[in-house]
Amino acid sequence: MAAFGTVFMPEMALARFDGQGWSNPEIVSSDSLTLHPGAHVLHYSSTCFEGLKAFRHADGSVNIFRIDRNIARLAQSSELLALPSVDTAMLQQMIIDVVRRFASDVPEPPGSMYIRPTHIGTEAAIGKAAAPTVESLLYVLLSPVGDYFAGGDKTLRLLLEENGARCAAHMGMVKSGGNYASALQPIMKARASVQADQVLFCPGGDVQETGAANFLLIDGNEIITKALDTSFLHGVTRDSILTLARDMGMTVSERELTVSELLERSARSGAEAALSGTAAVLAPVGTLIHNGQEHQVGDGKVGPKTLQLRQALNDIQWGRAADTHGWLTRV
Ligand SMILES: *Cc1c(COP(=O)(O)O)cnc(C)c1O
């Protein structure tokens, strides 16, 4: 199986903003884009994106998960980056149209069609270091993906980083390229030095998130995660898992979590920790590495609550449980 995100459908949906309004969306080849080398995005990082999925159900229908949330987040990211304002109704139609066009290529569960809306500043203006682009391009790429856990469900090792931050504090809730570039060196160093899979950024002891996923601690019947603020990315999976946890009668605590409380609680028997995001839904965490010491989370193995919550979300996505929250849009 090819690596996640390396296979693309041959066409994508695309619309241009010319300073006045949006062009009619078109379906065009996804092989390449023509961009002026002075395009705003290439110099001043006026770029944001989304990641959501479409699922094939047993009845043959294709269903997109929480499309409204991802569109709203792209509109918010665009606004915070001073990109042209996204026409959300147009974007919804672009996503539905391109998914419908490639409906027969949507893999069966546990696979899915990963959808990548992207918005970039295209004005050729290298003098605009401190001014917004007036032109932009919005496109929707599709990438069929397989089973995230095909290699087995092994637990992750996270390095707790208390000194560095993932990105600038006011950029945390923006799904923008520069934030990933900014987290890359810490992640590469953590891989090389302590064989960590990811870095859990905890600036000043405040447990935030990893480079591309939210962090959840499960202690008995309670699930604890940082309350929403502008410092980190508001995951749609995080919100969905918390909703399902409440449905199951778990106590959901959205609040500050310090590194010391995390280490104390995660050492308890039965404690679990997981990363949440669209790609994996929930990926179990087995080890926290802090100040050169390794701390096992619970028994260090994949926990039952993590599996139960992931299954509950997968069941809705795959059409095996009732969509009681109205999360699916049939294309
Ligand atoms: C995309 C992303 C997430 C997860 O968001 P989902 O909507 O659940 O996919 C979490 N953190 C960061 C930094 C992200 O980029």
Side-chain angles (χ1 to χ4, degrees):
M1 186 75 194
F4 184 96
T6 58
V7 176
F8 296 97
M9 291 292 103
E11 293 174 314
M12 60 181 180
L14 179 145
R16 287 173 197 281
F17 191 84
D18 65 2
Q20 246 81 62
W22 287 99
S23 66
N24 284 328
E26 300 167 78
I27 300 281
V28 299
S29 166
S30 63
D31 282 352
S32 62
L33 276 178
T34 302
L35 215 53
H36 191 285
H40 198 271
V41 58
L42 301 177
H43 302 266
Y44 308 122
S45 294
S46 46
T47 172
C48 55
F49 67 91
E50 270 309 319
L52 65 165
K53 283 175 169 173
F55 300 90
R56 175 177 303 288
H57 289 186
D59 65 3
S61 67
V62 169
N63 301 268
I64 304 175
F65 186 70
R66 302 199 78 175
I67 187 173
D68 54 327
R69 283 295 186 119
N70 289 275
I71 290 173
R73 196 168 64 188
L74 190 77
Q76 177 179 272
S77 292
S78 298
E79 189 187 326
L80 293 170
L81 292 165
L83 273 159
S85 162
V86 170
D87 179 335
T88 55
M90 178 189 78
L91 176 57
Q92 165 141 349
Q93 201 56 53
M94 286 168 71
I95 294 170
I96 288 173
D97 285 347
V98 75
V99 170
R100 200 175 273 156
R101 189 174 186 93
F102 292 100
S104 61
D105 294 293
V106 176
E108 300 276 348
S112 59
M113 186 67 86
Y114 184 82
I115 308 166
R116 173 54 65 94
T118 309
H119 190 194
I120 59 174
T122 50
E123 187 185 1
I126 55 172
K128 284 196 156 182
T133 180
V134 297
E135 292 164 13
S136 69
L137 208 76
L138 179 63
Y139 57 90
V140 182
L141 273 173
L142 297 182
S143 174
V145 295
D147 182 4
Y148 191 90
F149 296 101
D153 210 345
K154 71 172 193 56
T155 54
L156 299 172
R157 292 164 57 80
L158 304 188
L159 175 67
L160 307 189
E161 170 59 66
E162 290 186 83
N163 299 314
R166 174 182 166 254
C167 62
H170 67 292
M171 289 291 286
M173 63 196 285
V174 187
K175 210 168 172 79
S176 184
N179 288 347
Y180 305 86
S182 125
L184 211 45
Q185 282 291 351
I187 293 170
M188 284 164 56
K189 283 187 187 133
R191 285 190 183 138
S193 62
V194 294
Q195 291 75 54
D197 297 294
Q198 295 294 336
V199 173
L200 179 57
F201 291 96
C202 312
D206 173 35
V207 178
Q208 288 184 337
E209 63 171 334
T210 63
N214 294 128
F215 178 81
L216 307 168
L217 174 66
I218 301 169
D219 183 9
N221 200 44
E222 187 181 10
I223 183 161
I224 304 167
T225 193
K226 186 172 168 60
L228 297 180
D229 66 18
T230 57
S231 70
F232 74 107
L233 207 281
H234 304 174
V236 177
T237 314
R238 170 192 177 283
D239 181 79
S240 307
I241 290 291
L242 296 185
T243 301
L244 295 177
R246 283 188 198 97
D247 289 353
M248 288 173 186
M250 290 180 73
T251 302
V252 172
S253 302
E254 293 181 77
R255 60 167 171 82
E256 298 311 294
L257 175 64
T258 62
V259 166
S260 51
E261 183 183 359
L262 170 61
L263 292 175
E264 189 259 304
R265 282 189 182 252
S266 62
R268 296 181 187 174
S269 93
E272 300 177 33
L275 297 183
S276 76
T278 294
V281 173
L282 273 185
V285 172
T287 307
L288 301 173
I289 306 160
H290 181 246
N291 289 342
Q293 267 198 300
E294 304 213 354
H295 304 259
Q296 198 171 281
V297 179
D299 65 2
K301 302 202 174 77
V302 185
K305 289 238 160 59
T306 300
L307 291 176
Q308 192 190 353
L309 287 162
R310 185 206 294 162
Q311 187 71 51
L313 187 50
N314 280 155
D315 283 347
I316 293 173
Q317 293 175 326
W318 298 343
R320 293 172 189 172
D323 177 23
T324 51
H325 298 283
W327 286 340
L328 297 174
T329 301
R330 195 173 177 141
V331 305

